[in-house]
Amino acid sequence: MDSFVIEGGKRLEGSIRVHGSKNAALPLMAAALLSDQPVTLRDVPDLADIRNMLKLLAELGCERQNEPGPNGSVGGTVVLRSEDESRIHARYDIVRTMRASICALGPMLARRGRARVSMPGGCAIGDRPVDLHLRGLRALGAQITLEGGDIVASAPAGGRLRGDTIFLGGPFGSTVLGTANVMSAATLAEGTTIIESAACEPEVVDLANFLNRMGAKITGAGSPRITIRGVDRLGGADHAVIPDRIEAGTFMCAAAITNGSLTIENCPVDALLAVVDRLEHAGVHLETMDGSDPFHATCRVTADRVLKPIEITTQPHPGFPTDLQAQFMALLCLADGNSIITERIFPERFLHVAELGRMGAHLFRAGPTVVVSGVKRLTGAPVMASDLRASAGLVLAGLAAEGTTVVNRVYHLDRGYERLEERLAPLGARIKRVPESA
Ligand code: EPZ
C-alpha cells in the first residue's frame, strides 16, 4: 500500500485542470446496460473506481470497445457496448470494492428483465443502506428478494417495468445513486414515472442529459421532481462527463490552506455555489476569469493570510456537499477562532478527526457536530487514510503543516483523485508517492 510523503509549508501557485467527475462517470457507465448500441463517454477520469466499473461491466457482458489509453490509463474516451445480456450477476468480490456497483441494478433490470447484485454493505463513512433504491424499483413493479447477500430482482412477467409515482426521500434527504437507479430503470418502463424527492446533484442532471441523448424522455432533472416517460428502447450516444466539483473544491481548499494562488481550469463553478459561499465567508477569494461556460470556467483562488471561522452543515445539493466536509475541516483547523461543522448526510463521517488531531488540530466532536478550534500551526505526522475524502483532507493538512507528514494507505485517495501527487508537485507542493515496498 503506497504512502504520500509531504513536506509542508509551501504555497501552491500555478494552474491545475479539473478532470471529469467520478460520481458522474460511474452511473453514466452503468447506463450502457440500457442499450445494445455503443455509447461513447469522454473526459472519463483515470481512477481505480473507473477500472472497477469497467471490470464489473465486462462481467455483465458490456465490454469496452476502444483501446485503453497510454500506460494502461482507463480514462479519456471510453466506448462501451452491451452485447451479451445473459449475464446478470454483479458479484460480491467486485461490489465490495466499490459500492457504486449498485447503479448497475436499475439499468440491468429495466433492459434484461432480471438482475442479481450483491448488497454493497457499509464502508468507512457509515452504513450505506439501499432501501430507497429497492423501494423505487419495487414501485416500478420489480419483484425483489435478498438471497445470500445478493439483491435478486426481476421485472413483472413479460419483462417490462411499469411507470408509477414514487416518493424517494429518506431520513437523510434524497439518495443520489438511488435516484440514478430509479431514473435509469424508468426510461424503459411502460408509461410515466414521477420521482418525488429526487436527488438534485449535478451528477444526476448529467445522467439525465446522457439518457435523453440515448432517446429517453426525462424532464425535471436537477429539481426534486423528475418525470420520465417510458420508451421502448434506447440507442447509443456520445457524451462528455461533467467536471468533478469535489475535485475542484479540493483544489480550492489547497490554494487556501497554503495561502497560495491557484488558477483552476475546467471548473464547474455553477455546481459549487454553496462551497464558494463558505469559502468567501472564511476569507478565501474566487475570481472567475472566464465564466462563459459556468460548468467549464477558469477561476483563480487566493486567500487572506488569516482565515475566519465559519459554520458548515452538509446537506443534499444545492446545499454544502458532504464530500467536501473533511477538506474544509482541514482548512478550518488554521482559522482564527472556532468553526462548527455538522454532518447531516453521513453522521459518522469523521474518521479524519483523530488523524488531524495527531497533527495538532483542536477538534471537539459531539455526535454529528465537530467544533474546530483554530490553531496557529499544524505539525507533520504519520497519519492513516481511511476513506477517499478523509484522505484528501489529510493531504491538505500535510501541505500546510510544519515538517513531514506521511499519509498511509493512499489507495483510498487513488479511488477519486487521479495521480494527485503528480498534479500538485508542479504547483510547488513537496509531495511524493512512496511504494509500500520502499
Ligand atoms: C453518492 O453516494 C456519492 N457517490 C457519495 O460520494 C456522496 O457522498 C453521496 O452520494 C452523497 O452526496 C457516488 O456518487 C458514487 P446517497 P450515494 O444514497 O448515492 C442514505 C465520494 O466520496 N440512504 O445519496 O451512495 C445514506 O445512508 C462518495 O465520492 C438511505 O438511507 O449516497 C446517506 O445517509 C462517498 N437509503 C444519505 O441517504 C438508501 O437507500 C445519502 O446517501 C440510500 C441512501
Side-chain angles (χ1 to χ4, degrees):
M1 286 182 267
D2 294 356
S3 303
F4 278 174
V5 177
I6 305 169
E7 298 300 330
K10 284 283 285 175
R11 302 177 72 238
L12 297 193
E13 294 180 308
S15 295
I16 190 164
R17 180 178 176 78
V18 178
H19 290 178
S21 163
K22 163 180 85 82
N23 289 353
L26 294 171
L28 288 171
M29 292 166 74
L33 296 166
L34 284 163
S35 168
D36 59 1
Q37 295 304 303
V39 298
T40 299
L41 294 172
R42 303 178 189 282
D43 300 341
V44 175
D46 179 21
L47 298 169
D49 273 8
I50 301 298
R51 197 179 307 274
N52 280 325
M53 181 58 83
L54 286 169
K55 185 177 168 191
L56 170 65
L57 290 174
E59 283 206 4
L60 298 174
C62 181
E63 301 271 0
R64 178 176 190 156
Q65 305 291 304
N66 64 324
E67 287 304 310
N71 311 318
S73 161
V74 294
T77 298
V78 174
V79 180
L80 293 167
R81 184 168 194 172
S82 192
E83 293 171 309
D84 175 1
E85 300 185 320
S86 63
R87 290 139 67 179
I88 53 102
H89 188 186
R91 294 180 300 108
Y92 174 65
D93 65 355
I94 290 189
V95 175
R96 69 185 173 84
T97 62
M98 184 187 61
R99 288 195 60 268
S101 307
I102 190 70
C103 59
L105 176 61
M108 216 170 8
L109 176 61
R111 170 136 176 109
R112 302 181 184 186
R114 56 200 188 97
R116 185 176 185 122
V117 177
S118 171
M119 287 283 280
C123 71
I125 65 176
D127 294 345
R128 306 294 295 275
V130 292
D131 57 305
L132 299 177
H133 297 241
L134 304 188
R135 178 205 293 175
L137 295 174
R138 283 188 173 114
L140 295 178
Q143 281 94 35
I144 295 178
T145 56
L146 298 184
E147 296 171 27
D150 285 348
I151 299 163
V152 180
S154 57
R160 193 167 184 191
L161 298 172
R162 61 175 187 279
D164 201 345
T165 295
I166 304 165
F167 177 73
L168 211 54
F172 299 95
S174 49
T175 164
V176 174
L177 289 184
T179 301
N181 251 334
V182 175
M183 181 171 71
S184 298
T187 59
L188 292 177
E190 183 88 37
T192 296
T193 297
I194 292 174
I195 303 174
E196 181 70 306
S197 191
C200 302
E201 272 68 5
E203 294 76 27
V204 171
V205 177
D206 203 37
L207 176 62
N209 292 337
F210 178 56
L211 292 170
N212 282 340
R213 284 192 178 145
M214 293 172 75
K217 297 185 183 316
I218 301 170
T219 54
S223 82
R225 175 171 286 209
I226 301 177
T227 301
I228 306 106
R229 284 187 291 128
V231 295
D232 293 338
R233 64 184 301 279
L234 293 177
D238 188 317
H239 181 82
V241 179
I242 54 167
D244 192 320
R245 62 194 168 102
I246 304 305
E247 181 176 88
T250 305
F251 292 153
M252 292 175 184
C253 290
I257 203 169
T258 61
N259 200 246
S261 171
L262 278 188
T263 297
I264 301 175
E265 298 167 355
N266 199 35
C267 183
V269 283
D270 197 52
L272 286 162
L273 298 186
V275 174
V276 173
D277 169 74
R278 294 295 83 200
L279 286 171
E280 294 284 359
H281 279 79
V284 181
H285 310 295
L286 181 128
E287 177 198 351
T288 299
M289 285 120 82
D290 175 3
S292 51
D293 175 347
F295 256 91
H296 300 82
T298 299
C299 51
R300 193 157 66 87
V301 181
T302 54
D304 295 344
R305 186 91 191 87
V306 178
L307 298 175
K308 297 186 261 311
I310 57 174
E311 180 277 335
I312 289 175
T313 299
T314 66
Q315 299 172 70
H317 193 79
F320 187 93
T322 174
D323 291 350
L324 281 169
Q325 180 254 104
Q327 298 91 317
F328 269 71
M329 188 179 290
L331 176 64
L332 294 170
C333 286
L334 294 171
D336 180 24
N338 294 339
S339 297
I340 305 226
I341 296 178
T342 301
E343 175 57 67
R344 292 275 184 242
I345 307 297
F346 295 109
E348 297 303 317
R349 192 174 197 170
F350 289 128
L351 287 175
H352 42 286
V353 168
E355 299 306 302
L356 290 170
R358 288 175 48 77
M359 300 176 72
H362 287 179
L363 305 170
F364 307 93
R365 180 179 173 189
T369 296
V370 171
V371 175
V372 183
S373 179
V375 294
K376 290 284 184 223
R377 68 186 59 78
L378 293 172
T379 50
V383 290
M384 190 70 73
S386 55
D387 65 273
L388 167 53
R389 307 303 174 180
S391 318
L394 295 175
V395 170
L396 294 176
L399 292 173
E402 288 180 359
T404 304
T405 298
V406 179
V407 181
N408 295 298
R409 298 185 182 175
V410 290
Y411 68 85
H412 289 292
L413 198 81
D414 293 337
R415 294 189 50 196
Y417 295 90
E418 194 176 324
R419 293 189 298 281
L420 188 61
E421 78 281 10
E422 294 176 13
R423 297 161 73 195
L424 293 180
L427 305 175
R430 288 172 297 189
I431 180 172
K432 62 182 180 186
R433 180 183 292 261
V434 175
E436 185 185 19
S437 51

